[in-house]
Amino acid sequence: MTFDLLKKVSAILKPTPVYLVGGFVRDLIRGHASPDIDLATSQNPMRLAERLAKTLGGTAFTLDEERGINRIQLPNGIRFDLARFKGPTLEQDLLARDFTVNAMALPLDEASRVTPPFANVLIDPTGGIRDLSQKTIRAVSKRSFRDDPLRILRAFRIAAELGFSIEPATLRLVKRDKALLKKISKERIREELLKLFCVKSSLPQLELMSRAGILQELLPESKPMERTARTYYGKGGVWKHSLEAFEILEEILGNLGRLFPRCAKPLIAYVEEPISGYPRYSLLKLSELLHDVGKPKTAKMIGGRLRFFEHEDVGARMTKKILERFRFSSEERDRAGRIVQAHMRPGNLATQPMITDRAIFRFFRDLDDDAMGALLVSLADHLTYVPVRQRLKWKTPHERLTKKMVERYFLESEKVSPKKLIDGNTIMKTFSLSPGPLIGEILRAVQESQAIGEISNPGQALSWIKKKFKAQLK
Ligand code: CTP
């Protein structure tokens, strides 16, 4: 399919020399035909883009006028980014790119005739094919990160996506240039972080970013975390604990089917549901990383013990601020804030001598559709305190409570959000009440009593209201 399309594109653009470049060539050699096709040419790309769009039935628009980048979007989801060479020649263009594996080119007309790895026709001035086979991310030049500091984050993200390693000299350049990240727009940083979190097992690269001081550059809040509670968590303090919880969350997310077999399908759909364009699990990972961000500000020695009273409230406020700084949507900010705020609740609930249906219902009601996210984040946090071999065996009260609540949420929805037995108008009419906050209060109470099985029909609901709200009804 891809090669047929490339053949067609080549015929349309003839006789202009056009090259396949960048990540598309990298992925093609790896055997993956990406739907994002990068093309480069020495000519003005605008007219070519229009011609391509018209013939293929897509739309063309300018992405970056200054750098001459035009996009052609096809109805089937395939898109071409057609760019003018970054420099006078193709070779100069390739040398101005970020990493060797992204700095290879293929003449478009050849690509449709030969097959990967395109021996003899591949244009590879920086040794990209060697680095690709050695699974190595190597900066094209010493200027690579100075030319665009976002590439620092791209290095870790691409390494995580491809399962590659960043070679030592490139890592040294990353450390040398990390302060330049301050110059990058927060939106671009956010996008890179979210793309990194989309990788199932991103922790190794995240840890590397932390060791290289990159995360501290992006998130100064992590520095006091590193200094807090070292005697408790060891070197790296609360920050080390947060990375550990992050790693466990990734493990949980990667094994949902096995861990929650009774409700695997809806739970997986839940974590994969897009929130502002990225799967929910990337936001859960971010929430995990920040769940204890409030600890440094609240740490206090009380009776010889280090305590962090209300760190979840302080942390929720800080989380929202951090997400605002990176221009996350208000939905993402609210969700992450709510999860951080609630991360202690399942643990507190699990230690109660009796966990009532009412307490479980209230958790679901307060957290709404962030309840599952909060449970998973809280579980990963809890498991950092459980010896590795005993984790996820459903032996601790917290683990057992999590399983019970996840199953209840998906399998017993009538207990989570029962169908309305009675509406506000009926309540007002029956008890001669005028509109006001009391009606909402009654409705919530009715729902709660229904969820815990006290009432199950409208008649019972009315008698129950009469009894419970006697004083207010008169
Ligand atoms: N590029 C670069 N520096 C950047 C961004 C991109 O040199 N900061 C170059 C790389 O050669 C890259 C190509 O432009 O391969 C295309 O960019 P883009 O589509 O953003 O990256 P891909 O590598 O294709 O991968 P992804 O879409 O996952 O970012």
Side-chain angles (χ1 to χ4, degrees):
M1 148 74 190
T2 309
F3 287 103
D4 288 346
L5 179 66
L6 294 181
K7 209 182 219 167
K8 228 179 188 174
V9 173
S10 169
I12 297 166
L13 298 180
K14 244 183 172 105
T16 315
V18 175
Y19 298 86
L20 288 161
V21 286
F24 181 76
V25 174
R26 175 197 72 208
D27 291 341
L28 204 60
I29 297 171
R30 291 172 60 245
H32 301 281
S34 161
D36 295 339
I37 304 176
D38 303 319
L39 298 167
T41 176
S42 61
Q43 311 289 306
N44 176 356
M46 183 137 61
R47 281 210 338 271
L48 295 174
E50 275 162 8
R51 193 186 330 152
L52 204 54
K54 202 167 157 211
T55 322
L56 294 175
T59 42
F61 51 95
T62 305
L63 266 192
D64 186 332
E65 192 157 1
E66 202 185 321
R67 286 188 286 171
I69 308 176
N70 291 264
R71 177 163 291 176
I72 302 105
Q73 180 74 54
L74 303 190
N76 61 5
I78 291 181
R79 68 178 195 210
F80 298 89
D81 282 346
L82 180 56
R84 197 178 53 227
F85 287 164
K86 308 176 215 282
T89 63
L90 173 65
E91 179 150 354
Q92 301 280 352
D93 173 281
L94 297 175
L95 292 173
R97 289 176 184 267
D98 50 5
F99 308 113
T100 58
V101 293
N102 286 344
M104 297 181 276
L106 273 175
L108 184 58
D109 50 349
E110 299 280 0
S112 54
R113 277 196 275 126
V114 289
T115 48
F118 308 105
N120 303 328
V121 291
L122 188 72
I123 302 155
D124 178 19
T126 67
I129 195 83
R130 179 202 57 210
D131 284 337
L132 200 56
S133 70
Q134 293 177 357
K135 297 180 178 280
T136 297
I137 300 293
R138 184 190 307 277
V140 162
S141 78
K142 290 200 170 111
R143 282 188 13 236
S144 181
F145 300 122
R146 290 190 171 161
D147 288 346
D148 180 3
L150 186 78
R151 290 171 172 175
I152 293 174
L153 303 186
R154 281 175 60 85
F156 294 97
R157 190 258 298 171
I158 296 172
E161 280 176 350
L162 304 180
F164 283 19
S165 305
I166 303 175
E167 61 90 33
T170 301
L171 213 48
R172 282 197 292 278
L173 293 175
V174 159
K175 288 182 196 161
R176 182 195 72 183
D177 294 336
K178 66 183 178 198
L180 299 175
L181 277 167
K182 286 197 182 63
K183 296 191 170 168
I184 297 297
S185 86
K186 296 284 189 279
E187 286 87 344
R188 291 181 80 201
I189 291 176
R190 178 196 65 218
E191 292 297 295
E192 277 305 321
L193 285 179
L194 285 171
K195 280 184 190 174
L196 174 67
F197 292 164
C198 281
V199 178
K200 296 266 180 272
S201 186
S202 65
L203 189 271
Q205 292 303 331
L206 196 70
E207 222 161 27
L208 209 56
M209 285 171 79
S210 179
R211 266 187 269 137
I214 305 303
L215 288 181
Q216 292 77 347
E217 208 60 54
L218 303 178
L219 197 70
E221 289 83 352
S222 64
K223 290 183 192 164
M225 290 169 85
E226 282 180 316
R227 293 192 295 268
T228 301
R230 278 182 185 152
T231 41
Y232 190 51
Y233 293 117
K235 193 167 169 257
V238 172
W239 181 243
K240 177 178 154 256
H241 156 75
S242 305
L243 288 173
E244 200 181 335
F246 183 98
E247 181 177 24
I248 299 174
L249 180 68
E250 288 201 324
E251 193 186 321
I252 295 172
L253 290 167
N255 288 289
L256 289 176
R258 187 174 59 74
L259 295 172
F260 300 95
R262 293 188 64 211
C263 45
K265 219 172 149 189
L267 184 57
I268 292 170
Y270 171 84
V271 300
E272 290 185 347
E273 188 193 342
I275 306 288
S276 301
Y278 285 89
R280 185 195 302 267
Y281 61 76
S282 41
L283 191 63
L284 298 185
K285 291 187 194 182
L286 182 60
S287 310
E288 191 75 69
L289 201 61
L290 297 175
H291 77 278
D292 275 347
V293 70
K295 275 190 171 167
K297 280 194 181 152
T298 53
K300 250 196 198 116
M301 284 302 278
I302 299 174
R305 275 182 71 194
L306 187 57
R307 310 302 294 265
F308 308 97
F309 289 125
E310 293 175 5
H311 76 275
E312 62 274 39
D313 301 326
V314 173
R317 284 197 292 276
M318 290 175 74
T319 297
K320 283 188 176 180
K321 274 218 173 106
I322 292 167
L323 267 66
E324 198 177 343
R325 196 160 84 215
F326 287 100
R327 320 270 191 272
F328 278 83
S329 67
S330 62
E331 181 185 0
E332 291 168 300
R333 298 198 302 260
D334 289 347
R335 287 186 186 281
R338 206 172 344 166
I339 289 171
V340 170
Q341 177 129 42
H343 81 269
M344 299 293 284
R345 277 180 74 172
N348 292 338
L349 207 55
T351 54
Q352 300 294 313
M354 248 245 316
I355 303 163
T356 61
D357 281 346
R358 190 187 298 278
I360 294 183
F361 170 77
R362 286 187 176 171
F363 180 84
F364 287 140
R365 185 194 60 197
D366 297 348
L367 270 297
D368 200 10
D369 68 343
D370 288 316
M372 292 301 101
L375 280 172
L376 296 177
V377 166
S378 177
L379 177 64
D381 177 24
H382 162 68
L383 290 174
T384 63
Y385 304 100
V386 175
V388 178
R389 284 155 167 266
Q390 288 163 34
R391 286 177 190 163
L392 295 167
K393 302 257 194 292
W394 313 109
K395 292 260 169 60
T396 67
H398 191 137
E399 288 172 301
R400 280 207 289 272
L401 174 86
T402 306
K403 185 152 237 177
K404 177 175 169 170
M405 290 179 77
V406 169
E407 289 181 353
R408 179 167 296 188
Y409 185 81
F410 290 113
L411 305 175
E412 297 175 84
S413 60
E414 71 289 350
K415 288 190 181 166
V416 177
S417 51
K419 277 205 193 83
K420 241 185 189 172
L421 287 180
I422 197 161
D423 64 19
N425 280 329
T426 315
I427 294 173
M428 288 193 282
K429 234 192 231 155
T430 315
F431 300 106
S432 313
L433 292 170
S434 351
L438 178 62
I439 313 298
E441 199 186 319
I442 295 175
L443 283 171
R444 275 195 299 279
V446 167
Q447 201 193 26
E448 185 171 304
S449 125
Q450 193 188 347
I452 61 175
E454 285 180 349
I455 55 173
S456 58
N457 62 50
Q460 286 172 347
L462 288 174
S463 335
W464 185 89
I465 296 170
K466 217 183 258 168
K467 219 166 83 195
K468 282 280 167 189
F469 288 86
K470 207 165 156 191
Q472 290 101 312
L473 296 174
K474 275 188 229 112

